[in-house]
Amino acid sequence: MSTTNVVLVAGMHGVSGNAAARAWANTSDATVYGLSRRDAHLPEGVEGIKVDLLDRHDVERKLNGRRDVTHIVFAAYIEKASAAERSKVNVAILKNLVEVVETVSPTLRHVTFYQGGKAYGSDLGPFKTPAREDDPRLMSPNFYYDQEDFLRRQQAGKAWHWTALRPEAIIGYATGNPMNLGMAIAVYAVISKALNIPLRFPGSPAAHGALYQVSSADVLAEATVWAGATESARDNIFNITNGDQFRWQHMWPRIAKMFDMQVADPVPMPLASYMTDKTELWSEIVARYDLLRTPYEKLVSWDFADFIFNSGFDNVSSTIKARKAGFFECIDTEDMFRNFFASLRNRKVIS
């Protein structure tokens, strides 16, 4: 029996791609294929296709028989040292996928891809808040802009459309995906508890008091399905966050309670230095509580956590544009953290 929507999710095993695949698979009329270079557990209802998006010939071989694709969700990303290198490689993998699908599948209707706070300069320093989708661009190279420009050019005069979604610090679970703020907090808390010390905020005083926001992977996934089915989302950009903001100075004690821990005064502490020698301790915790045996170095990117915890300026983006277009999904961030940590315990990722 054929389905109305055939969805390719690139970057299947990342946080955003995994959540988007699950959300599409939970709709009543979709067949979902997850694209990835590596093997990993797939959500129920998702079929895997192992493919190297950098290899045009491999993309052609693996997708040649897929003549019924209606949607692409592009969540793939390749890290490089410089902005120019990041732009070149991440435009290339998007270009390879879109051009091949266009060629083999005349049914293509929509491409959703993810941008983020770097579109506003959140990685560079203080920026205008609340950030809006029509704020002027920064200087290139920026792979978000370059991917967007490619899709604008490629889509001109064609039947398919695109939508760019801009989350901030996505909180969700994916196997072996270390750039995850929620996972960093969880592992840091579990190790602190094992050492019988209070949970201290490890970042700068400025970051402790600044306004911040995050995006639940589930909210972003719902936005992805919405974008692929909604006319008002076509050829447009939307900020997608939980819908609230918080300050770590208020959220941190609540997180400590979620781990049944005491909280103490913040002390700036580079996690990339202080957490890298905890491999043996983590192995002991895994054995004691019979946890999943994920290699410690693949659990968390401490450099990523340090960056977030030392961003001493407000990080707020407006979601009014998405609401005006008809997307209203939101979640209380404290509830999101509580649910996320509970899901990690249920999966035996943390104790």
Side-chain angles (χ1 to χ4, degrees):
M1 178 177 169
S2 63
T3 52
T4 304
N5 300 308
V6 177
V7 185
L8 297 183
V9 180
M12 174 64 228
H13 299 308
V15 174
S16 54
N18 188 279
R22 285 188 281 106
W24 266 114
N26 285 335
T27 64
S28 60
D29 59 350
T31 300
V32 182
Y33 297 91
L35 312 184
S36 179
R37 288 179 297 175
R38 61 185 174 94
D39 293 319
H41 175 75
L42 292 167
E44 185 177 352
V46 178
E47 182 178 335
I49 299 176
K50 192 172 180 179
V51 58
D52 182 358
L53 295 179
L54 266 178
D55 184 340
R56 177 66 170 253
H57 296 301
D58 192 42
V59 178
E60 291 171 342
R61 285 193 301 271
K62 301 297 175 56
L63 299 183
N64 186 51
R66 289 264 56 94
R67 304 181 185 279
D68 53 355
V69 174
T70 59
H71 293 73
I72 294 172
V73 176
F74 192 82
Y77 172 71
I78 298 175
E79 178 60 41
K80 290 293 182 181
S82 72
E85 290 174 305
R86 282 194 297 274
S87 182
K88 181 178 180 180
V89 72
N90 285 290
V91 170
I93 58 178
L94 175 62
K95 186 173 186 286
N96 284 343
L97 180 59
V98 170
E99 289 183 346
V100 169
V101 172
E102 273 191 310
T103 300
V104 303
S105 183
T107 55
L108 180 64
R109 298 200 303 269
H110 196 268
V111 178
T112 304
F113 69 112
Y114 302 129
Q115 298 183 332
K118 291 185 181 68
Y120 304 120
S122 65
D123 58 323
L124 302 175
F127 59 97
K128 191 214 87 181
T129 56
R132 290 167 43 106
E133 295 88 344
D134 58 359
D135 287 344
R137 286 184 172 188
L138 303 168
M139 183 178 290
S140 290
N142 184 310
F143 78 92
Y144 291 153
Y145 305 156
D146 297 335
Q147 287 180 330
E148 179 187 330
D149 289 344
F150 161 72
L151 286 175
R152 287 181 183 274
R153 292 191 303 269
Q154 193 71 11
Q155 183 269 340
K158 297 176 182 176
W160 59 270
H161 300 274
W162 58 267
T163 303
L165 303 179
R166 291 179 176 173
E168 177 60 42
I170 303 167
I171 307 294
Y173 178 71
T175 304
N177 191 282
M179 291 185 66
N180 186 325
L181 181 63
M183 183 66 74
I185 293 171
V187 173
Y188 173 57
V190 169
I191 286 177
S192 295
K193 190 171 184 177
L195 293 171
N196 198 30
I197 58 176
L199 188 65
R200 295 181 184 270
F201 180 75
S204 68
H208 192 234
L211 277 175
Y212 195 58
Q213 61 186 359
V214 295
S215 300
S216 163
D218 292 334
V219 170
L220 180 61
E222 291 300 320
T224 302
V225 176
W226 166 80
T230 305
E231 187 172 348
S232 60
R234 291 176 178 175
D235 308 326
N236 229 322
I237 302 170
F238 299 100
N239 295 325
I240 302 293
T241 69
N242 286 358
D244 61 2
Q245 294 85 42
F246 64 92
R247 302 181 197 275
W248 289 114
Q249 67 188 52
H250 304 308
M251 184 64 71
W252 204 255
R254 299 175 185 183
I255 290 174
K257 285 184 179 180
M258 297 173 198
F259 288 89
D260 193 25
M261 295 177 67
Q262 296 294 316
V263 68
D265 291 340
V267 174
M269 180 180 64
L271 296 177
S273 295
Y274 281 84
M275 299 301 290
T276 51
D277 70 335
K278 303 298 190 292
T279 303
E280 185 175 340
L281 175 57
W282 184 255
S283 296
E284 293 172 3
I285 294 170
V286 168
R288 185 183 312 146
Y289 296 101
D290 191 27
L291 304 181
L292 288 177
R293 298 182 181 277
T294 304
Y296 183 69
E297 65 275 9
K298 292 186 177 181
L299 273 176
V300 175
S301 169
W302 298 114
D303 287 327
F304 176 71
D306 282 338
F307 171 76
I308 298 296
F309 291 144
N310 286 281
S311 297
F313 47 85
D314 290 350
N315 187 328
V316 177
S317 56
S318 170
T319 57
I320 292 298
K321 183 179 177 183
R323 294 178 185 276
K324 285 183 175 179
F327 183 73
F328 302 104
E329 190 78 15
C330 60
I331 187 172
D332 178 272
T333 294
E334 183 179 350
D335 289 341
M336 180 214 66
F337 275 125
R338 185 177 294 105
N339 294 339
F340 175 67
F341 298 141
S343 75
L344 294 183
R345 293 186 183 100
N346 289 338
R347 290 185 170 100
K348 301 289 286 182
V349 177
I350 63 171
S351 57

